[in-house]
Amino acid sequence: MESCGRFCVAALCVLLTVCYPEMNCEPLNVHLIPHTHDDVGWLKTVDQYYYGANNSIQHAGVQYILDSVIDELSKDPYRTFIYVEMAFFTRWWKEQTDSKKAIVKQLVEGGQLEFVNGGWCMNDEAATDYNAIVDQMTEGLRFITDTFGSQYRPRIGWHIDPFGHSSEQASMFAMMGFDAFYFARIDYDDKANRIDRKTMEMVWRGSPSLVESTQIFTGVLYDHYTPPNGFCFDQLCSDPPMQDDKDLFDYNVEERVSQFISACLEQAQHYRTNNIMLPMGSDFQYENANMWYKNLDKLIHYVNKNGSINAFYSTPTRYTDCVYKANQTWSVKLDDFFPYASAPQSYWTGYYTSRPALKGYVRYNNALLQVGKQIEAMHGGYYDNNPSCDKLAKAMAVAQHHDAVSGTEKQHVADDYAKRLHIGQTECEYVINQAIDDMAKKYNGSSTLQLESCEYLNISICPISSDSNNQFDIIVYNPRGYTDERVVVRVPISNPDVLVQEANNNVTCQVLPISESTINVRRDRGSALYTLVFFATVPPLGYNTYFVRPSDMISGTKCTYSEPVLITDNTVVSNGVYEMKIEKANGHLGRIVHKKSGSFVNMNQQFLWYWASDGHNKESSQTSNAYVFRPNSSFTYNVNDDGNIAVNHLIQGPVVQEIRQEFSSFASQDIRLYNGSAHIELEYTIGPVPFQDGKGKEVITRYDTDLETDKQWYTDANGREMQIRIRDSRQTWVWKNTAPVAGNYYPINSRIYMRDENRNTQFTVLTDRSHGGSSLTDGSLELMLHRRLIHDDSIGEHLNETGQFGEGIVVRGTHLLVVNSIENSAQIHRELAKHLMNTKSHTTQITKACNMSSLETYIY
C-alpha cells in the first residue's frame, strides 16, 4: 500500500547544507556515479575474484580495479567513485604501503572515494536472517570507522543487485542511520507502473509497528545499475569512445552529446526533481579506470558546453542531499518488493529454496557464532594469534552475499562457502569448548574435560557418545537470559541399557532405535544403533552437566526403551497439550487438536513435487533454474506411485512419541510429540531426488486444512516482523497473474501462518532455514524443501547438487507446527522462532566420563 506524505521527519532530515559548486538549480542536474559491482563470490570464488584468477569463467580482478581507480582519482579532485564490498576492500587495504594508505585517506576525506552500504558484502534480502545481516554490516562498518573515522560511515544503502527487497532491510537501514536506500531490481510490471506515475522514488516505511522511526527515502534506479545505452566506457564494453579530434576520422562529439542528453531528458520525465542519478559502471568494471575517466571527463565537458543539462561527477550521498532540498511530497510504501519478476514467466522465487543444505548450514553457523561471541566475551577473549570466532564471523559475513546463501552461485563456489564456514566453525567450537573447560577448572576444580562437539548429530554420528560404552558426560550451555527447562538432548549411543543423572538425581530419559532413513543417509559413517533422548534444564548464561552411564554400573532409573510398532488403523497420540491423528486411509497427519484452547484443524500433510519447466512451450523459453521457479503447470505429482500413501511406525515413551513415516525412497518424515510441548516437530528427509526420468523436480510439503482464510496468509521478514500476503494480488498495483504458482511464492525465513477469524484459530509452521512458500488455496500452506533441476540457467550449469556420493544431495530439516487461538499464537511462535533461529543456541558438548561430583551447574 502507498499513500502520500511530506518527506521531512526528524529522523531523516539530517541534511547536509553543503553547496556543491558543480550543481545548478535551473537545468537538469545529472549525477554521474562511477561504481563497480563486485560479487563476493558467484561464478568464481571470492579469492578468485579478488586475484583475477580463473578468468576462463569470467574476467574479473578486484585488486586491479582498486589499484586503477585510486590512481585515477588522484589525478583530478572532481572525480568520484563509490565502493561497497568491504570483504574485498579490507584485503586490498592490508596490502598497501603507508604512502598509498595516506592517499586513500585523503580521497575519502575529500569526498572523492565514498563508501556506500559499507557491509562485508551486499547481502541477500530473501534468504537471510536479520541477525546475520546485522553481523555482516557490523564487520564492514567497524572497519570503516576504525580506519577512516565515524564521520565517513556510509549514509546510503546501495542494494543494486539483490533479487527483491524486504521491509526489514529498509527498516534496519533506517535504524542504522542511513538517509536513503537505492536499488535496481523490482518487478517489471511494478517498475512500468512507477515510471508511468513518477513514483520511482518514495518513502518506505518498513516496520508496521515502529512506523515513522524506520522510514527511509528509497529510489529505484532507472536503467538497472548500468549506464545509459551506448555509454559504457569499460574495457569489457564495445560502446564507442568520445572521439573529439576533428582532424581524425570518426569524430562523434555532437552525436554522442545529443544521444546522452536525450537519454537524460527521457529519464528525467519519470522523476520528481531536477536531479537524476546515472550509475556509470557495472559488474567488475574499472579494471582499467583510465578508459572510464578519460571518456567521462570529455562527456561532462562537451555536455555542459551544450548547456541543455548540467552533468558532473557525484555520489549517491550528494544526489540524496539535492533531492532532500527539493522539499517534494513523496508516496509512502508500506509493503515489500517481493516477489521479483523480470518478465511475465520469470519469477525469481526459486532461489528462496535453492541449495537448501547450504541454507541450513548457514543458519546453523549463525547460531553457533552468537554462542561463540558470547562465551568469548564473557571469558575475556583469547587475544591476538589465538583461536577465536573471527574466522567464522567473516565466513558468515561472506555467506550473506546475494549469490551465496541465495543458492545462485556455481557449485564450486557453493563448496568454497561451505569450506570457509567449516573452518570457522571448527575454530569457534574449539573456543567454546576451551572456555567451558577453563570455567569448569576454575570454579569446580575439575581436570581438563577434552570436550568435543558432534556436528553430525542430525544423522546420529557422534563417535564419543556411540563408541564409549555408554560412559560419557554431556554439557549443555544456555546463552539466553532465562532458565530453559525443556532443552531436548538427542545423542546416538551403542547400547540401550543406559541411565542419565544430573547432580546424582535421576533424569527421565528414553532410548529409541535409529530410523531406517537415518541409517540410509549415514551409510557407514557411524555405527550407533540407538538414540538417547531427554530434557535438560539449563540456567541463564550458564551450563549444566548430565552424566550418561551403563545401567548396571550405578544405581538409578534406567531409560525407557521404546520399539517402533507398525500402525495400520486410525491412530491418535497425545502429549497432554496436543492430540494428533494419523489417518488410516493414507497414513498422513490428519486432525490436530490443542486441548486447552480447543483450537483444531482437520488437515492432510504430504510431500509432492512440481515438474520444472524446460522452457519448451509456447508461452516462454524460460526454464526453472537456480533463480527462477517456473513449474510446467499448477499440477503437483505424488512422491510415490501408490496414491502417496505413507507407511507409519509409532514409538511411545515418557519423553517423546514419534511417528516415522515413509512416503518413498526419497521422502520420509519423523513426527515428534515431546511430552508437554507446545508444538509438534516434523523432521523431514528429502533426497536423493530422482531425475532419471528427465524431469526436474521441485519438492514441497503441503499442509491442507479446513480453515477459511479468505486468500490471506502471513510470512516473516528476515525473521522479525510478520506481513500479510494476499493471493493473486499486489498492494501497490493491479497484478497481471501470468504465473499463478510462482507469482504467489514468498520468502520464508522463520515462519508462515494462516488464520480463520471465525474459528479464532491460527495454524503456524516454523522453519529451521529459509524456504519459498505460499497459500495457493484457502486453508493451505506449502513450503518448497528441495530442488533438483536438469537445465542450464544463466550461470552455465544446472542446479543439480550430486552430493558426497554422487547420487544427489539429501536434505534433512525441521518444521514446528503450532495450532492455537489467534491471541495465544503470537507469543508461542515468536519464542519458537528465536529457538529455531538459534538451532545451536543450546550448545551440547560431550566429553569422556568424568568424576560425577566434579561438574555441577555453573552460571557465569
Side-chain angles (χ1 to χ4, degrees):
M1 177 180 293
E2 294 192 12
S3 58
C4 290
R6 179 71 64 182
F7 179 61
C8 192
V9 297
L12 294 171
C13 282
V14 190
L15 306 185
L16 293 184
T17 56
V18 295
C19 179
Y20 302 111
E22 61 268 29
M23 298 177 187
N24 191 312
C25 294
E26 293 303 324
L28 176 68
N29 285 314
V30 179
H31 297 250
L32 302 181
I33 315 294
H35 80 104
T36 179
H37 173 58
D38 297 341
D39 288 302
V40 186
W42 176 39
L43 305 182
K44 305 198 297 187
T45 69
V46 60
D47 288 350
Q48 290 170 343
Y49 272 135
Y50 179 73
Y51 284 113
N54 208 356
N55 280 339
S56 61
I57 294 177
Q58 181 186 16
H59 184 92
V62 174
Q63 62 173 333
Y64 308 122
I65 293 172
L66 292 169
D67 287 341
S68 183
V69 165
I70 297 304
D71 287 346
E72 291 301 315
L73 291 179
S74 302
K75 296 176 182 177
D76 186 338
Y78 285 99
R79 291 174 174 177
T80 60
F81 194 79
I82 63 171
Y83 201 73
V84 174
E85 297 86 4
M86 293 302 104
F88 286 131
F89 191 87
T90 55
R91 292 176 180 217
W92 181 84
W93 180 259
K94 288 189 296 185
E95 296 174 355
Q96 304 312 303
T97 63
D98 289 343
S99 59
K100 179 66 75 172
K101 289 179 179 179
I103 292 171
V104 174
K105 287 186 175 181
Q106 289 178 349
L107 295 173
V108 172
E109 292 167 2
Q112 288 184 259
L113 177 61
E114 179 175 299
F115 298 114
V116 293
N117 231 51
W120 209 244
C121 68
M122 186 183 293
N123 65 263
D124 180 57
E125 299 185 40
T128 42
D129 183 86
Y130 77 93
N131 190 276
I133 294 174
V134 170
D135 280 353
Q136 79 86 13
M137 289 296 296
T138 300
E139 287 290 326
L141 294 176
R142 181 189 293 124
F143 167 79
I144 294 172
T145 300
D146 291 347
T147 307
F148 301 100
S150 60
Q151 66 270 39
Y152 300 110
R153 281 186 50 158
R155 292 172 47 203
I156 302 298
W158 185 258
H159 269 210
I160 56 176
D161 200 26
F163 326 122
H165 306 281
S166 78
S167 297
E168 184 58 32
Q169 186 75 55
S171 179
M172 284 192 290
F173 274 164
M175 290 187 285
M176 290 176 189
F178 285 13
D179 291 331
F181 184 13
Y182 297 104
F183 46 75
R185 296 186 189 271
I186 67 170
D187 183 281
Y188 74 98
D189 204 18
D190 186 12
K191 185 173 183 179
N193 183 57
R194 289 181 177 280
I195 286 174
D196 183 60
R197 294 189 298 124
K198 298 181 71 170
T199 56
M200 292 286 277
E201 296 175 323
M202 71 214 82
V203 174
W204 191 358
R205 200 169 285 165
S207 169
S209 58
L210 301 175
V211 290
E212 286 89 349
S213 64
T214 59
Q215 68 184 19
I216 188 168
F217 180 74
T218 301
V220 182
L221 301 180
Y222 184 73
D223 194 15
H224 200 45
Y225 54 84
T226 56
N229 186 38
F231 290 89
C232 178
F233 299 122
D234 196 78
Q235 65 182 13
L236 300 175
C237 298
S238 57
D239 294 344
M242 297 294 295
Q243 298 173 245
D244 59 344
D245 189 337
K246 293 184 178 181
D247 293 332
L248 301 179
F249 294 146
D250 301 322
Y251 173 83
N252 64 2
V253 168
E254 283 78 12
E255 176 188 3
R256 301 291 280 150
V257 166
S258 176
Q259 290 173 349
F260 185 78
I261 292 174
S262 295
C264 292
L265 294 176
E266 166 60 27
Q267 178 174 332
Q269 295 181 46
H270 308 292
Y271 290 79
R272 292 180 177 270
T273 75
N274 71 325
N275 293 276
I276 63 170
M277 179 166 55
L278 301 185
M280 304 303 288
S282 190
D283 293 3
F284 298 100
Q285 294 194 355
Y286 284 79
E287 195 169 309
N288 181 357
N290 176 61
M291 290 182 65
W292 266 108
Y293 285 110
K294 189 167 187 175
N295 283 280
L296 286 176
D297 287 347
K298 292 181 180 181
L299 180 65
I300 290 170
H301 171 74
Y302 290 113
V303 164
N304 291 341
K305 188 175 181 180
N306 176 279
S308 299
I309 62 175
N310 182 35
F312 49 89
Y313 289 114
S314 187
T315 69
T317 300
R318 297 183 188 183
Y319 172 78
T320 302
D321 290 340
C322 288
V323 171
Y324 276 19
K325 290 180 181 179
N327 199 26
Q328 278 282 336
T329 297
W330 306 98
S331 62
V332 178
K333 183 173 177 63
L334 302 177
D335 59 328
D336 61 10
F337 286 94
F338 288 122
Y340 164 60
S342 56
Q345 298 297 326
S346 300
Y347 278 84
W348 295 40
T349 55
Y351 81 96
Y352 302 160
T353 299
S354 295
R355 302 194 188 279
L358 179 62
K359 283 178 165 63
Y361 193 44
V362 169
R363 186 69 56 87
Y364 172 93
N365 276 288
N366 178 50
L368 178 67
L369 177 60
Q370 308 318 311
V371 174
K373 290 191 299 182
Q374 185 184 91
I375 288 182
E376 195 171 2
M378 292 189 298
H379 182 271
Y382 285 92
Y383 315 107
D384 299 338
N385 304 322
N386 281 306
S388 76
C389 291
D390 186 61
K391 284 183 182 177
L392 181 57
K394 288 182 169 53
M396 275 294 297
V398 167
Q400 305 316 305
H401 170 58
H402 59 269
D403 281 307
V405 68
S406 60
T408 53
E409 65 275 23
K410 278 183 174 287
Q411 184 62 57
H412 78 103
V413 181
D415 295 341
D416 183 74
Y417 290 136
K419 180 179 180 180
R420 292 171 185 278
L421 288 170
H422 189 262
I423 291 171
Q425 170 195 337
T426 301
E427 188 164 312
C428 194
E429 285 177 339
Y430 175 85
V431 169
I432 293 170
N433 293 343
Q434 190 63 46
I436 293 176
D437 186 39
D438 290 348
M439 293 298 178
K441 287 188 288 188
K442 180 177 180 180
Y443 293 99
N444 291 325
S446 65
S447 58
T448 300
L449 299 178
Q450 296 180 336
L451 294 167
E452 293 186 17
S453 300
C454 296
E455 56 187 323
Y456 296 108
L457 280 175
N458 67 330
I459 55 172
S460 297
I461 299 175
C462 184
I464 195 169
S465 68
S466 57
D467 299 341
S468 60
N469 297 318
N470 287 355
Q471 296 185 60
F472 58 93
D473 303 330
I474 299 175
I475 295 178
V476 185
Y477 172 76
N478 177 15
R480 298 181 179 183
Y482 54 86
T483 298
D484 198 328
E485 299 178 350
R486 297 188 56 81
V487 181
V488 176
V489 178
R490 296 177 67 99
V491 293
I493 57 176
S494 57
N495 190 301
D497 298 322
V498 68
L499 58 79
V500 179
Q501 291 190 344
E502 177 247 343
N504 295 318
N505 297 315
N506 292 321
V507 175
T508 301
C509 51
Q510 186 177 343
V511 176
L512 302 73
I514 290 176
S515 67
E516 285 297 320
S517 64
T518 296
I519 292 173
N520 291 337
V521 174
R522 187 181 66 185
R523 303 196 183 202
D524 61 355
R525 292 173 290 172
S527 59
L529 299 176
Y530 307 96
T531 298
L532 169 65
V533 187
F534 63 91
F535 291 122
T537 299
V538 194
L541 301 179
Y543 64 77
N544 207 350
T545 306
Y546 291 84
F547 306 93
V548 181
R549 298 291 184 270
S551 57
D552 59 0
M553 175 179 285
I554 58 175
S555 61
T557 304
K558 180 180 174 181
C559 298
T560 301
Y561 178 67
S562 307
E563 277 282 359
V565 177
L566 178 68
I567 55 176
T568 57
D569 207 344
N570 290 330
T571 302
V572 177
V573 295
S574 175
N575 69 342
V577 178
Y578 285 107
E579 281 184 356
M580 69 178 188
K581 179 182 179 183
I582 300 297
E583 300 289 346
K584 174 183 178 180
N586 53 24
H588 298 175
L589 176 58
R591 181 181 175 90
I592 298 176
V593 180
H594 185 265
K595 299 177 72 173
K596 183 176 180 179
S597 69
S599 301
F600 70 93
V601 291
N602 295 306
M603 63 173 292
N604 177 28
Q605 183 264 336
Q606 58 183 318
F607 298 103
L608 304 155
W609 58 274
Y610 289 102
W611 183 359
S613 173
D614 59 8
H616 297 122
N617 58 60
K618 63 181 180 180
E619 292 179 331
S620 171
S621 60
Q622 177 66 62
T623 63
S624 207
N625 60 43
Y627 301 89
V628 173
F629 170 37
R630 187 176 181 228
N632 271 331
S633 71
S634 301
F635 182 79
T636 52
Y637 296 81
N638 294 334
V639 294
N640 66 39
D641 297 326
D642 192 22
N644 236 26
I645 293 174
V647 177
N648 294 278
H649 289 82
L650 171 64
I651 300 174
Q652 294 185 296
V655 178
V656 64
Q657 298 186 70
E658 185 167 301
I659 297 169
R660 296 176 173 176
Q661 294 184 307
E662 291 289 337
F663 280 82
S664 72
S665 61
F666 70 94
S668 63
Q669 178 173 257
D670 291 345
I671 305 173
R672 299 184 180 119
L673 261 182
Y674 287 100
N675 184 35
S677 177
H679 64 271
I680 301 169
E681 179 181 300
L682 280 65
E683 184 182 72
Y684 59 85
T685 304
I686 306 295
V689 177
F691 71 113
Q692 292 80 3
D693 57 3
K695 297 176 180 178
K697 296 177 178 64
E698 326 230 23
V699 182
I700 65 166
T701 181
R702 181 177 289 164
Y703 302 90
D704 291 315
T705 76
D706 59 350
L707 297 180
E708 296 181 5
T709 54
D710 194 26
K711 301 177 69 173
Q712 298 180 6
W713 71 102
Y714 298 78
T715 64
D716 70 287
N718 302 105
R720 278 175 58 91
E721 296 192 71
M722 304 300 296
Q723 49 203 45
I724 191 170
R725 305 300 188 186
I726 302 173
R727 190 180 319 116
D728 299 335
S729 177
R730 298 293 186 264
Q731 293 189 38
T732 52
W733 82 97
V734 178
W735 184 47
K736 301 170 186 174
N737 189 355
T738 56
V741 177
N744 280 302
Y745 258 61
Y746 290 88
I748 301 160
N749 279 279
S750 66
R751 57 208 186 272
I752 179 173
Y753 64 74
M754 56 186 173
R755 293 170 166 175
D756 188 325
E757 301 284 348
N758 294 327
R759 278 171 45 182
N760 188 26
T761 299
Q762 179 170 312
F763 181 85
T764 307
V765 182
L766 296 105
T767 70
D768 67 345
R769 70 199 66 199
S770 297
H771 298 301
S774 186
S775 175
L776 298 179
T777 59
D778 278 0
S780 177
L781 294 177
E782 67 178 57
L783 296 94
M784 187 177 291
L785 307 178
H786 203 341
R787 313 181 74 214
R788 191 173 192 182
L789 309 176
I790 59 175
H791 292 280
D792 289 352
D793 58 26
S794 57
I795 65 173
E797 63 183 36
H798 48 285
L799 188 63
N800 176 25
E801 298 181 278
T802 56
Q804 181 177 354
F805 301 102
E807 299 169 0
I809 199 166
V810 178
V811 175
R812 174 166 283 182
T814 301
H815 288 170
L816 304 183
L817 305 186
V818 177
V819 177
N820 210 315
S821 63
I822 294 173
E823 60 268 21
N824 290 339
S825 293
Q827 180 179 357
I828 296 171
H829 73 66
R830 288 189 183 280
E831 282 300 316
L832 286 174
K834 286 192 290 185
H835 168 74
L836 273 179
M837 181 187 76
N838 286 327
T839 54
K840 189 73 174 176
S841 63
H842 295 95
T843 305
T844 302
Q845 317 301 118
I846 302 176
T847 184
K848 294 179 180 179
C850 301
N851 182 342
M852 292 180 63
S853 63
S854 67
L855 288 174
E856 302 294 343
T857 299
Y858 176 71
I859 304 175
Y860 286 104

